[in-house]
Amino acid sequence: MFAVPGGGGAPGGRPRRAGRPRNTGRLGIVIKLRENLDRKQIFIIKATGPDRKVSKRQRAQIEGAGRRSVHDRRDDVVEEVRSRIDIVDVISEHVALRRTGRNYVGLCPFHDEDTPSFNVSPDRQMFYCFGCQKGGDVFTFVMEHRGLDFRQALELLAERAGVTLPDRALSPEQRRLQAQRKALLDVMERAARYFENLLLRAPSAEGARQYLHRRGLEAGTVRSFGLGWSEAEWDALGSALRSRGVAPDLLVEAGLVIRKEDGSTYDRFRGRLMFPIRDERGRVIAFGGRTLGDDQPKYLNSPETPLFHKSRVLYALDRARGRMRQRDRAIIVEGYMDAVTAHQSGFEEAVASLGTALSEDQARMLVRHAGRIYIAYDADAAGDRATMRGLEHFARLGRASSVFIVRLPQGHDPDSLIRERGAAAFQALLDRAQPLVDYVFDRALQAHDVLRPEGKAQVVRLVAPWWASLESAVARSDYMRRFAERLGVDEAALRAELARLVGRRRAVTDPVVSGRAAAGRGVAGPGGDGIRNKSREAVGRLRSRGGRSIHPGGVPAVPGHVRAERELVRALLHEPDLVRRVLARVEPGAFTDPRAREAVEVMARLAGASPMGAAAGGNGTPAGEVTAGETSPERKPWGRLVFDNLLTDEAASWVGGLIMAGPPPGDAVALVDDCVQRLERARIERRASELRQLILQRESAGEEVPGSLILEHDELQRKLRGIESERR
Ligand SMILES: [Zn+2]
């Protein structure tokens, strides 16, 4: 199904790609060079291994490169998928990630480790492991992690992103579902515009407009949230959309109208202020309607539909996401008005949970986006059972210490507080928010008589799982001391009791344990050995697949000049100005690591410099020159551009890692020059040793040794000595 002839592009593929000479594959180049031996090219063949047959792996690479011509990283559709998917979302489904500064870290799924060296950058949308040096973008991750090829990874992620692949063969059922989704989204969008228009213009919405004015909502806020009004009639929206050709069944499926037993329908939302609920991509998937009178219920939501699953939605997340990341903080409020008012007052990282009982999906969404999570429910809701159950999800996710409870004055919600006392008052409450574990402890103390031993025991039982979920040993020991003090018990006794309680639960509920198990690694303890063995097997598979030796510490053994190649490419990925300087002295073929060679070939092509032929010097900015002609209209960073133009997965993973690793420390020019010199020396040494062998062979066979060989050998030795003395 995915097989496409390796040579000439896909049948029906884009003509722009079909004619690319690169698709002839490296095999063709090697053969051509063999026919046309000259001195300069011998070592290029040497580098790819002249005596080896093309290995299965290489063949797969070459064929893979051909297959990529159907969809590779430069495709518009690939760009589209990538732009709609967040690498942090994808990876955090498999790896327990923790935020550190701008990045996330976790235990690497590709090698065995106990301390996290696996980094994910939301800004760069890339991952990199400092232990095993695997890295890349979201496609690389899915390919490596699930053992898929590029095409399969693309299909999987396109599905997730809701992007239709042009030449994808869908089953009739998939086609039906996709068409249904599209039709429903279209209906919701039309309904949103209908409601919005009414709010802005209809005489019947005058009361709603005055209400919003009284609540201090500015016209710009109302418009940007797309608020609307539903007429207090039984068939207003229904008849309006039907008259525009929307099928009645679709209106029912979308949850906008309700069908009666006689088959006729009536509007679900009547005489309500309408809040469109959007998915993370900003598409309307449901509505919340607030009554302005005494009708019950006060808030009415869309029912569950193929588009809307209440437990997986946070209101205003589409608008709050960027600011959450930026401020590393999320504010959770209960209602639509709370969220809208918060945004208008500058708290753009606020989302509404549509009820106080957070679902596990919602908790996951929150910890993915922000390091600190502030729960700002009104005082009555904050303490109730449903709220507490929702907060337990954070403990199970190992993130209890990231959650803070904002204590609003009695009778206030964020909306009324901000309106009456201003944004500064709300900020002050955020600043004084109480860590969740403290809050739980306070509540437990209030609920039980700690003067009696049974009361103490109950408090300890309540607090134990929360305490155990704290990630940091320092925090755990700190809390232990404070608990002991407040309870008036001996710290050693408390420790023993907590250990007993936690030990019993640990096997099943410890978030750290289950998180690690999910990421494919085990821990000591009951059942841990089996998991650990499994993960070892997986690592073993990866090692043999990767074909590179990995030391027990997880650091691959790398010969010196290979490290120089790596550092050189790393520097060039971050310093486009140095590309020409390097290409003036080394040609891509001089790199022995095929991944480095491919990267430098791409850079040479993008920089518009014919290798070796370009004028020496660092003038010109390749990054600026090449972006104009690319398919993507926006300017891409240079490293990203190189990455997107790579053909083999090996190179993509490797280069992705180097981009993530950031520029090498120190003076880039000095480093680059040093690496270039190392490469030159390695090249000369290789050629010199080749010549020595040739000379020895001739001598031992009793043949005459051509003087040119000896001259060349001596010349190379002289150059080597020159380089040595230059270095000293
Ligand atoms: Zn790793």
Side-chain angles (χ1 to χ4, degrees):
M1 172 184 175
F2 305 129
V4 165
R14 302 167 184 213
R16 183 165 57 85
R17 307 226 184 277
R20 268 187 312 157
R22 290 180 59 81
N23 283 346
T24 53
R26 223 189 303 289
L27 191 58
I29 295 169
V30 172
I31 291 166
K32 210 174 79 203
L33 290 180
R34 282 190 182 198
E35 290 165 359
N36 183 23
L37 286 178
D38 69 30
R39 212 182 81 193
K40 198 173 87 190
Q41 282 162 331
I42 286 174
F43 89 88
I44 298 177
I45 295 171
K46 186 82 184 166
T48 53
D51 302 329
R52 259 183 301 151
K53 294 267 192 301
V54 176
S55 71
K56 260 188 197 159
R57 187 179 157 79
Q58 280 173 315
R59 187 175 300 284
Q61 255 185 42
I62 291 159
E63 282 162 5
R67 192 186 54 238
R68 275 285 188 77
S69 63
V70 186
H71 284 297
D72 63 37
R73 284 186 157 80
R74 284 159 299 185
D75 263 10
D76 295 343
V77 64
V78 172
E79 281 292 332
E80 177 73 13
V81 170
R82 203 201 327 262
S83 73
R84 291 183 179 198
I85 286 210
D86 188 341
I87 193 169
V88 179
D89 290 353
V90 173
I91 293 184
S92 62
E93 281 167 15
H94 307 285
V95 180
L97 291 175
R98 197 161 40 77
R99 191 169 180 117
T100 58
R102 302 185 72 80
N103 288 354
Y104 291 80
V105 296
L107 293 172
C108 179
F110 303 120
H111 85 278
D112 204 11
E113 64 176 3
D114 295 323
T115 50
S117 40
F118 183 77
N119 279 253
V120 184
S121 159
D123 301 338
R124 294 200 175 100
Q125 288 292 306
M126 295 192 134
F127 72 94
Y128 181 61
C129 173
F130 287 96
C132 65
Q133 288 163 13
K134 263 191 204 308
D137 64 358
V138 69
F139 293 102
T140 323
F141 178 83
V142 170
M143 286 159 65
E144 293 271 347
H145 192 254
R146 309 193 44 165
L148 303 178
D149 65 21
F150 185 77
R151 170 76 204 192
Q152 290 167 319
L154 176 62
E155 287 192 349
L156 195 91
L157 292 171
E159 169 83 43
R160 182 186 172 118
V163 172
T164 315
L165 297 184
D167 53 348
R168 183 176 162 208
L170 288 175
S171 72
E173 176 62 9
Q174 283 173 311
R175 225 188 290 276
R176 194 187 65 77
L177 284 174
Q178 202 169 62
Q180 185 203 32
R181 262 187 84 79
K182 198 163 169 289
L184 286 173
L185 284 169
D186 181 58
V187 169
M188 296 308 274
E189 188 58 45
R190 286 173 184 230
R193 260 180 280 143
Y194 171 82
F195 291 140
E196 193 179 356
N197 253 314
L198 286 180
L199 179 65
L200 294 177
R201 298 189 182 87
S204 62
E206 185 53 34
R209 288 192 290 267
Q210 282 177 9
Y211 169 84
L212 291 172
H213 183 71
R214 276 199 309 278
R215 301 290 288 241
L217 285 199
E218 295 154 13
T221 308
V222 171
R223 244 198 315 278
S224 74
F225 277 84
L227 303 193
W229 171 251
S230 58
E231 297 280 21
E233 289 167 25
W234 291 97
D235 193 27
L237 174 77
S239 69
L241 290 189
R242 280 196 308 275
S243 76
R244 285 167 215 173
V246 177
D249 282 352
L250 207 53
L251 289 168
V252 176
E253 264 182 291
L256 292 170
V257 304
I258 297 167
R259 198 188 299 281
K260 288 187 283 191
E261 278 182 16
D262 67 2
S264 64
T265 61
Y266 62 95
D267 288 0
R268 177 181 299 271
F269 300 100
R270 300 177 307 278
R272 286 172 183 267
L273 184 60
M274 301 299 291
F275 295 82
I277 300 170
R278 298 166 191 276
D279 64 9
E280 274 192 64
R281 289 161 53 190
R283 300 174 305 184
V284 179
I285 53 171
F287 289 96
R290 186 198 198 283
T291 171
L292 300 183
D294 297 327
D295 309 351
Q296 289 300 321
K298 195 167 156 196
Y299 282 99
L300 179 68
N301 282 335
S302 290
E304 298 275 309
T305 70
L307 295 180
F308 179 54
H309 306 283
K310 185 163 170 262
S311 66
R312 285 186 234 155
V313 172
L314 289 164
Y315 177 70
L317 181 60
D318 57 312
R319 317 169 60 85
R321 206 156 64 139
R323 199 45 72 93
M324 277 184 189
R325 286 258 160 91
Q326 206 180 15
R327 296 187 176 162
D328 196 21
R329 163 174 104 172
I331 301 171
I332 321 307
V333 297
E334 189 180 345
Y336 311 106
M337 277 305 279
D338 294 324
V340 174
T341 303
H343 275 248
Q344 180 176 286
S345 313
F347 302 98
E348 288 152 331
E349 66 274 40
V351 292
S353 51
L354 312 181
T356 59
L358 275 177
S359 72
E360 183 174 346
D361 283 327
Q362 288 174 321
R364 274 182 196 283
M365 288 160 84
L366 288 167
V367 300
R368 278 208 293 269
H369 287 108
R372 290 166 298 141
I373 293 147
Y374 289 77
I375 310 290
Y377 294 156
D378 71 45
D380 297 332
D384 79 22
R385 274 200 127 76
T387 305
M388 291 313 295
R389 266 202 308 278
L391 296 181
E392 282 171 17
H393 296 305
F394 291 110
R396 274 193 287 277
L397 293 169
R399 292 289 295 273
S401 56
S402 313
V403 180
F404 301 85
I405 305 294
V406 180
R407 310 196 89 162
L408 291 163
Q410 198 67 39
H412 270 297
D413 55 28
D415 171 43
S416 66
L417 184 100
I418 292 172
R419 248 184 309 123
E420 289 168 27
R421 303 193 190 171
F426 188 54
Q427 179 61 52
L429 290 179
L430 289 172
D431 293 341
R432 287 202 303 271
Q434 189 178 25
L436 176 57
V437 179
D438 289 32
Y439 177 77
V440 170
F441 187 54
D442 277 1
R443 279 171 45 87
L445 285 179
Q446 280 161 20
H448 296 93
D449 178 6
V450 289
L451 294 177
R452 296 166 53 224
E454 308 91 273
K456 287 184 212 258
Q458 275 184 320
V459 170
V460 174
R461 236 195 317 281
L462 277 171
V463 170
W466 295 92
W467 173 81
S469 76
L470 292 171
E471 262 181 299
S472 145
V474 175
R476 280 202 302 275
S477 128
D478 187 44
Y479 272 108
M480 174 100 68
R481 201 169 42 249
R482 281 156 57 194
F483 290 162
E485 233 174 72
R486 296 273 300 272
L487 285 172
V489 298
D490 178 50
E491 203 181 316
L494 178 61
R495 178 175 295 119
E497 179 66 3
L498 280 174
R500 192 181 65 81
L501 288 167
V502 169
R504 211 163 52 198
R505 299 172 58 104
R506 202 172 179 86
V508 277
T509 57
D510 188 318
V512 180
V513 173
S514 50
R516 286 187 185 190
R521 58 200 65 254
V523 292
D529 286 348
I531 297 169
R532 179 160 281 268
N533 285 342
K534 268 213 184 104
S535 94
R536 287 223 186 278
E537 273 169 36
V539 170
R541 270 202 308 280
L542 280 169
R543 280 181 184 162
S544 55
R545 193 151 64 100
R548 286 206 289 158
S549 63
I550 296 178
H551 287 321
V555 183
V558 187
H561 68 274
V562 172
R563 196 177 309 126
E565 291 180 0
R566 180 175 182 276
E567 288 305 291
L568 183 52
V569 173
R570 181 177 165 195
L572 293 184
L573 285 168
H574 294 93
E575 298 280 350
D577 291 351
L578 295 177
V579 170
R580 287 178 180 220
R581 183 187 179 95
V582 170
L583 287 174
R585 291 170 63 189
V586 212
E587 61 177 26
F591 290 79
T592 55
D593 185 332
R595 300 168 302 181
R597 197 160 53 234
E598 184 178 337
V600 176
E601 277 166 4
V602 166
M603 287 193 237
R605 191 159 50 80
L606 290 176
S610 54
M612 304 293 277
N619 51 349
T621 50
E625 286 167 20
V626 284
T627 35
E630 286 294 312
T631 49
S632 164
E634 84 274 25
R635 258 166 170 254
K636 279 190 203 172
W638 165 247
R640 185 81 222 189
L641 191 61
V642 174
F643 178 85
D644 289 348
N645 277 278
L646 294 167
L647 284 178
T648 67
D649 303 332
E650 282 78 6
S653 170
W654 187 73
V655 166
L658 295 181
I659 294 172
M660 272 291 288
D667 177 7
V669 176
L671 173 85
V672 161
D673 287 350
D674 182 59
C675 289
V676 165
Q677 206 176 57
R678 275 170 194 274
L679 291 189
E680 276 175 352
R681 196 172 50 172
R683 182 179 67 83
I684 293 171
E685 277 170 354
R686 277 197 304 273
R687 175 65 184 155
S689 110
E690 241 170 46
L691 288 169
R692 267 196 300 281
Q693 284 202 356
L694 276 177
I695 294 167
L696 281 172
Q697 270 169 20
R698 299 252 172 151
E699 280 176 345
S700 59
E703 294 172 30
E704 193 189 342
V705 179
S708 61
L709 288 186
I710 296 170
L711 276 177
E712 191 194 342
H713 181 260
D714 290 352
E715 172 68 15
L716 291 175
Q717 292 296 4
R718 203 179 52 74
K719 271 192 192 164
L720 272 180
R721 279 194 298 274
I723 290 174
E724 285 303 322
S725 65
E726 215 178 292
R727 291 182 70 82
R728 274 194 292 268

